[in-house]
Amino acid sequence: MNFNQSVKVKLTDFGEQILRSRHEEWNLHYLERGAKDIGPYLSKADPEGYTSFLIWELIQKFGPYMSLAKPEPFKGEMIFLKGDPIEQPII
């Protein structure tokens, strides 16, 4: 397995909430330093409801929230995509 490989998962409401909160924290960080507003959080889900991540990025963003008795940030199968990694900004 290559941690730069792309996967896609179906985020739960909790998973979307994690990404939204993270986006808002980064936006505040930028605004406090005089940068422009990065805009509202927009879901990156495809028409089938899957959101793509590099494996390392999925671990970084959701790892701290994954434990027994905690809500799941994503459900179902993790689909491993073949080919080149999907380009996504790191936020």
Side-chain angles (χ1 to χ4, degrees):
M1 174 180 0
N2 179 338
F3 282 93
N4 287 318
Q5 183 177 357
S6 297
V7 295
K8 61 183 184 177
V9 296
K10 283 194 177 183
L11 296 176
T12 62
D13 289 339
F14 180 60
E16 286 286 349
Q17 178 185 349
I18 291 168
L19 293 182
R20 185 176 297 105
S21 294
R22 189 177 163 92
H23 180 90
E24 291 169 0
E25 287 173 14
W26 276 107
N27 193 38
L28 181 60
H29 175 81
Y30 294 144
L31 290 173
E32 288 173 343
R33 284 152 183 79
K36 69 177 191 171
D37 190 309
I38 61 175
Y41 169 77
L42 300 173
S43 174
K44 305 261 192 275
D46 67 17
E48 296 174 345
Y50 285 93
T51 304
S52 297
F53 300 91
L54 300 176
I55 295 173
W56 69 262
E57 180 185 26
L58 185 75
I59 294 167
Q60 179 214 28
K61 290 182 179 183
F62 298 109
Y65 301 94
M66 297 180 74
S67 182
L68 293 175
K70 285 189 175 182
E72 297 174 311
F74 51 89
K75 284 191 177 260
E77 293 183 10
M78 180 182 298
I79 299 173
F80 289 79
L81 305 174
K82 295 182 180 179
D84 295 327
I86 293 172
E87 295 286 328
Q88 293 199 7
I90 300 173
I91 291 186

